[in-house]
Amino acid sequence: GAMRNKGAEKASIEAALSEINTRQCSPPLPDSEVKAIAGSISRYEPSTAVEAKPKPECSPFGFKNLCDVDPEAIEWRWYPYIPRGKFTLLEGDPGLGKSWICCAISTALTLGHKLPNSNSLCEGNVLICSAEDGIADTIKPRLLRMGAKDDCVYAISELFTLDDNGFSRLDKTIALMAPLLVIIDPLVAYLSATMDINKANQARYATARLQALAEKWGCAVLGVRHTTKATNIKAIYRGLGSIDFSAAARSILFVGADPDDDNNRAIVHVKSNLAEKGEPVGYEIRDGSFYWKQTTDLNYDKINAVPEQERRTPSP
């Protein structure tokens, strides 16, 4: 029947049936019966209609057929470390200069300058949400020392919660300021006190909505997160809370220092979903100022190595 439906003639159908009858039927049917089957099915007209794929008329979910979606190239605020329209994490132990790094990135964006290891050029506003550093006594002096355009930097002084109301207010603020980059430092300070950061579904509530804001307004969202004390695990497991924070981020930048020289520090690209991982980027903080370094010998393994003094000390 399938052969006839596709236009096969009686002789072809009979030949095919005869072959199958000889090879697979035991005992074979008489030739007269095979011819009768071929003749009977050949009385039907072949199909000429092309069956159309049914398209759903409505759905409780928003969806798109991929034939209606135009591919889009990824844009960057700092290639390949911070993608536009995505959620990125900057992680590291306290005291290593994560907030300094945020100011350095902000400075480059306000001036339209290149960042290390990158040819990306962006110039525009930055929105900073900082729960730990004072705007007047810490953030602005650092930015001015780096030469940033302070009229391109906006800071939210109020500590708000990323709940329905908080996301609504942040959405309206981003719409008003049109920032290239939104910094939330540290991320955990803006999460609800009733939220269990170790539960994946609760972590995803926050990260998914931050991602949605980034996509909606075409900005990059950079969340700053502290790390646990464990050093013998993969970098993506070092951040406080559920692994879902790391899973949601499209890029993760890990901040660390040489165990034998605390002034030798670097940003290590430990996760990248949208491009090849970037090379480690060195930096130092001296005399109250931040400086990018031309090269660095640090990587994640070196950062987490046992200090030389401990290696030399014999076990009791």
Side-chain angles (χ1 to χ4, degrees):
M3 292 179 66
R4 182 59 179 164
N5 193 53
K6 294 182 179 179
E9 298 294 335
K10 177 183 176 182
S12 299
I13 296 173
E14 184 178 322
L17 291 178
S18 296
E19 181 71 16
I20 294 171
N21 186 46
T22 301
R23 290 179 176 273
Q24 296 181 227
C25 295
S26 181
L29 298 174
D31 289 344
S32 59
E33 190 168 345
V34 174
K35 290 180 180 181
I37 295 171
S40 176
I41 198 67
S42 298
R43 292 183 293 119
Y44 296 95
E45 291 296 325
S47 174
T48 57
V50 177
E51 185 179 354
K53 281 197 307 182
K55 288 191 175 182
E57 295 182 1
C58 61
S59 168
F61 299 102
F63 70 94
K64 290 183 179 181
N65 189 297
L66 290 192
C67 70
D68 300 323
V69 177
D70 294 326
E72 294 181 356
I74 300 295
E75 297 181 21
W76 302 86
R77 293 298 176 243
W78 179 15
Y79 177 83
Y81 306 95
I82 303 179
R84 172 185 179 272
K86 306 296 179 183
F87 174 59
T88 297
L89 280 172
L90 178 69
E91 302 184 333
D93 291 337
L96 289 175
K98 295 187 295 298
S99 297
W100 277 100
I101 293 170
C102 289
C103 286
I105 295 170
S106 298
T107 297
L109 292 178
T110 65
L111 297 171
H113 289 177
K114 293 180 182 179
L115 283 156
N117 298 347
S118 177
N119 290 321
S120 301
L121 283 175
C122 299
E123 183 175 356
N125 296 335
V126 174
L127 176 63
I128 299 176
C129 307
S130 178
E132 295 181 345
D133 294 322
I135 296 173
D137 60 17
T138 303
I139 295 176
K140 181 164 183 176
R142 287 178 178 178
L143 289 169
L144 291 179
R145 204 170 293 131
M146 296 178 186
K149 290 182 181 178
D150 58 349
D151 61 342
C152 292
V153 182
Y154 297 87
I156 297 178
S157 57
E158 176 187 349
L159 182 61
F160 61 93
T161 301
L162 288 172
D163 52 17
D164 287 343
N165 181 55
F167 274 111
S168 177
R169 295 168 66 195
L170 183 59
D171 177 62
K172 293 175 182 177
T173 302
I174 294 174
L176 183 65
M177 306 303 176
L180 298 177
L181 177 68
V182 177
I183 297 169
I184 303 178
D185 180 16
L187 179 61
V188 69
Y190 293 87
L191 301 178
S192 170
T194 61
M195 174 182 170
D196 187 344
I197 64 171
N198 295 302
K199 290 187 176 180
N201 61 329
Q202 296 191 35
R204 183 66 69 165
Y205 169 85
T207 57
R209 298 187 73 170
L210 288 172
Q211 174 66 39
L213 285 180
E215 291 180 358
K216 178 180 179 180
W217 298 112
C219 59
V221 174
L222 181 64
V224 178
R225 188 165 67 144
H226 296 314
T227 50
T228 64
K229 294 181 180 179
T231 58
N232 58 343
I233 58 175
K234 290 184 178 180
I236 60 171
Y237 296 105
R238 285 289 307 276
L240 285 175
S242 169
I243 186 61
D244 216 61
F245 285 106
S246 297
R250 300 297 83 194
S251 178
I252 299 179
L253 310 176
F254 187 88
V255 178
D258 186 330
D260 298 313
D261 181 4
D262 189 61
N263 292 321
N264 182 18
R265 303 176 183 180
I267 304 168
V268 181
H269 203 187
V270 297
K271 178 186 175 183
S272 179
N273 284 94
L274 305 173
E276 293 292 329
K277 293 178 185 175
E279 292 295 319
V281 179
Y283 69 95
E284 60 182 336
I285 300 169
R286 52 181 168 82
D287 302 325
S289 297
F290 179 95
Y291 301 92
W292 295 112
K293 297 174 69 174
Q294 294 295 322
T295 60
T296 182
D297 61 345
L298 293 180
N299 55 37
Y300 182 73
D301 290 336
K302 288 184 178 180
I303 287 170
N304 287 285
V306 177
E308 184 178 359
Q309 183 176 356
E310 292 184 21
R311 295 197 300 270
R312 291 180 176 180
T313 303
S315 301

